[in-house]
Amino acid sequence: MNLAKRIMTGIVGLAAVVTLAACGSTGSTSNSPTADASDGTGGSAPAGTATSGDGKTIVVYWSGTGNTKRVAEDIAKDTDATLYELEPDPAYTQEDLNFNDADSRVVKEYEDKSLEDIKLKNAQVPDWNSYTTVYFGYPIWWQEAVWPVRNFIRDNDFSGKTVIPFCTSMSSPIGDSATNLKKLAKNPGAWKDGRRFSEDADPNDVADWVKSQR
């Protein structure tokens, strides 16, 4: 083989190695979990997707800015529970949740109660009857449970289930929010006293609370 052919063979071989390396790099990152822009959290299933658990415990929640989501994920981890995120239809954007803007969606809904009847894309949980314990999470808006979760309570039968509510807020206590949600249920089951967590809840505090519920 003359010198020109040897050089050409070497170039082709080097190109093949580089191509294979690039493909391997892409394959290792394309399926990695990415952070949700609105929540600032990563590695969780998309909204409305149930993650597998022990089949008896489920954590159902809705989170506007990610605070309730983080607590829900901690609870699901500590209890080996199924995690189920509710999906309002239409979904809330960050602009919708601007409480300082009188023209934002959330303020308009608060001022006009007829707008608070929010549909859910996924109000019905698969295998709902198999769960005996339901952790139910929500943020606090204006000292009450957020209205996007109300139709879930109305549309589901909680008879035979233990419901353990939890909420997140900057400063507002849980107050009567859980009690008022229970009143919406046709068959409420057994509701325990709820717990309020701060927007930056410590996972250790969440774990200790979960232990107290057993």
Side-chain angles (χ1 to χ4, degrees), residues 86-114:
L86 299 176
E87 279 189 281
D89 186 16
Y92 285 81
T93 66
Q94 290 305 292
E95 291 76 15
D96 289 339
L97 297 173
N98 186 349
F99 293 86
N100 296 317
D101 182 359
D103 291 325
S104 70
R105 175 182 173 183
V106 69
V107 173
K108 287 181 177 179
E109 289 173 347
Y110 174 68
E111 293 179 344
D112 183 350
K113 301 304 180 186
S114 68

Side-chain angles (χ1 to χ4, degrees), residues 49-115:
T49 302
T51 60
S52 299
D54 65 5
K56 296 180 180 179
T57 306
I58 187 169
V59 182
V60 180
Y61 74 97
W62 181 73
S63 183
T65 60
N67 299 326
T68 306
K69 181 176 186 176
R70 285 187 286 273
V71 175
E73 290 173 339
D74 288 339
I75 294 172
K77 179 180 178 181
D78 293 335
T79 58
D80 190 28
T82 298
L83 189 64
Y84 193 80
E85 183 175 4
L86 299 176
E87 279 189 281
D89 186 16
Y92 285 81
T93 66
Q94 290 305 292
E95 291 76 15
D96 289 339
L97 297 173
N98 186 349
F99 293 86
N100 296 317
D101 182 359
D103 291 325
S104 70
R105 175 182 173 183
V106 69
V107 173
K108 287 181 177 179
E109 289 173 347
Y110 174 68
E111 293 179 344
D112 183 350
K113 301 304 180 186
S114 68
L115 300 177

